[in-house]
């Protein structure tokens, strides 16, 4: 069931936040497709081995207990920010605004998702447009997203990973 996938994705995000480097899944049922997708959203979201970064960066959802947000970069590469965002609400879509506090300008975000009724991770057809390091989009009920924010390499002067903060601003 999707609730297992959401719980697994949320748990893995918490593990990343607190520096846990390994987790195991011991299934007690044969139906673990959502659990596998939750693991894959962090380890292989695009089917080509790309996953959540190895350096956790601050993320904040403003205290909303019906969503979670976790963000990372790969090493010192701040040209790409990877953010997992989860809508735990069973019936309501969630409009969110994601803001990146950085000296770098991000241009767009690829979006990967699994949700209730669709256990396979899929890339959404359209990237999310980022304007002034802010992006808005709508999340389906009971869904998990990986947003991969990209920037131009030319903008890397005088920045460090400590400059990053991803904040979810509830639009509802």
């Amino acid at each position: 069931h999707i609730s297992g996938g959401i719980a697994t994705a949320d748990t893995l995000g918490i593990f990343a936040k607190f520096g846990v480097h390994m987790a195991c899944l011991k299934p007690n049922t044969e139906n673990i497709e959502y659990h596998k997708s939750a693991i894959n959203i962090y380890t292989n979201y695009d089917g080509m081995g790309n996953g959540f970064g190895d350096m956790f960066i601050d993320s904040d959802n403003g205290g909303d207990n019906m969503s979670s947000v976790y963000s990372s970069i790969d090493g010192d590469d701040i040209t790409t920010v990877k953010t997992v965002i989860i809508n735990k609400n069973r019936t309501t879509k969630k409009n969110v605004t994601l803001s990146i506090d950085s000296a770098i300008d991000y241009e767009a975000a690829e979006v990967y998702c699994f949700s209730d009724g669709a256990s396979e991770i899929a890339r959404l057809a359209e990237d999310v447009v980022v304007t002034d390091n802010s992006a808005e989009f709508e999340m389906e009920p009971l869904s998990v997203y990986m947003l991969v924010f990209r920037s131009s390499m030319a903008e890397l002067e005088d920045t460090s990973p400590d400059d990053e903060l991803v904040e979810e601003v509830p639009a509802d």
Side-chain angles (χ1 to χ4, degrees):
H1 190 264
I2 182 64
S3 61
I6 287 174
T8 301
D10 209 12
T11 300
L12 292 172
I14 293 166
F15 286 175
K17 180 177 181 177
F18 290 101
V20 176
H21 296 283
M22 188 174 109
C24 298
L25 173 65
K26 181 181 177 191
N28 60 0
T29 179
E30 291 181 16
N31 185 10
I32 61 169
E33 295 308 310
Y34 284 105
H35 293 67
K36 286 195 244 180
S37 289
I39 292 168
N40 284 337
I41 206 85
Y42 286 94
T43 61
N44 190 25
Y45 60 82
D46 60 358
M48 298 188 311
N50 290 307
F52 198 71
D54 59 5
M55 181 179 284
F56 189 84
I57 58 176
D58 289 336
S59 305
D60 183 4
N61 72 348
D64 177 12
N65 65 358
M66 294 307 289
S67 70
S68 296
V69 60
Y70 307 100
S71 299
S72 69
I73 58 173
D74 287 313
D76 291 334
D77 179 9
I78 57 176
T79 62
T80 303
V81 173
K82 297 175 182 177
T83 298
V84 172
I85 185 165
I86 303 167
N87 183 4
K88 302 173 195 177
N89 195 298
R90 290 181 42 208
T91 59
T92 306
K93 292 182 179 184
K94 182 171 185 59
N95 293 313
V96 296
T97 300
L98 295 171
S99 294
I100 302 174
D101 183 9
S102 176
I104 293 179
D105 288 326
Y106 293 88
E107 300 166 348
E110 298 168 13
V111 183
Y112 300 84
C113 176
F114 71 91
S115 60
D116 192 20
S119 64
E120 293 286 320
I121 296 172
R123 180 170 178 190
L124 300 188
E126 293 186 31
D127 290 350
V128 171
V129 176
V130 179
T131 305
D132 296 326
N133 281 354
S134 183
E136 296 181 6
F137 75 106
E138 183 177 72
M139 296 179 1
E140 293 296 321
L142 297 176
S143 56
V144 178
Y145 294 82
M146 166 67 82
L147 281 79
V148 182
F149 293 92
R150 304 225 186 256
S151 174
S152 157
M153 293 290 286
E155 303 176 46
L156 289 177
E157 298 176 23
D158 300 322
T159 58
S160 70
D162 295 336
D163 292 335
E164 307 299 330
L165 173 68
V166 177
E167 181 176 6
E168 174 195 344
V169 180
D172 295 330

